[in-house]
Amino acid sequence: MGSTNVKFKGADHIVDRLMWDKKLNKEEFTVGYEDRFLGILEIPFLEFAKKTDIPTHRIKYFKKDGEIVWDRVKKINLL
């Protein structure tokens, strides 16, 4: 019997994919990340890509046009 489990891809993989996959429109994506003091904040991906001080382990989810397409806690990966 073969394993059907596919390893859940981390936020760093999703960031790389959004940066380099020409088929994905970066303007459609939002990043939800945890700020240590303010809780969960959302930022457009293009703005996130310019900020170098947000580590990928703080990313909780990615949205495309307002719909969650990747979620760390729920293990959703539609990308």
Side-chain angles (χ1 to χ4, degrees):
M1 268 174 103
S3 175
T4 59
N5 292 339
V6 175
K7 186 176 180 201
F8 183 72
K9 301 216 185 283
D12 56 335
H13 175 81
I14 304 303
V15 169
D16 286 345
R17 174 126 188 250
L18 289 173
M19 290 296 293
W20 304 112
D21 189 336
K22 303 274 188 218
K23 292 177 268 181
L24 298 174
N25 182 354
K26 297 171 188 60
E27 294 178 359
E28 297 175 340
F29 290 88
T30 304
V31 179
Y33 69 96
E34 184 172 15
D35 180 274
R36 289 185 294 210
F37 306 107
L38 302 174
I40 303 294
L41 301 176
E42 288 190 358
I43 187 171
F45 180 76
L46 289 174
E47 190 176 330
F48 172 83
K50 294 176 188 174
K51 286 183 167 260
T52 58
D53 61 339
I54 301 172
T56 57
H57 72 269
R58 294 200 182 278
I59 296 174
K60 299 300 181 187
Y61 58 82
F62 290 91
K63 289 182 178 178
K64 179 181 180 192
D65 295 328
E67 299 291 325
I68 291 180
V69 292
W70 183 93
D71 187 297
R72 179 183 306 277
V73 175
K74 296 177 183 174
K75 302 291 188 213
I76 296 169
N77 185 1
L78 304 176
L79 288 175

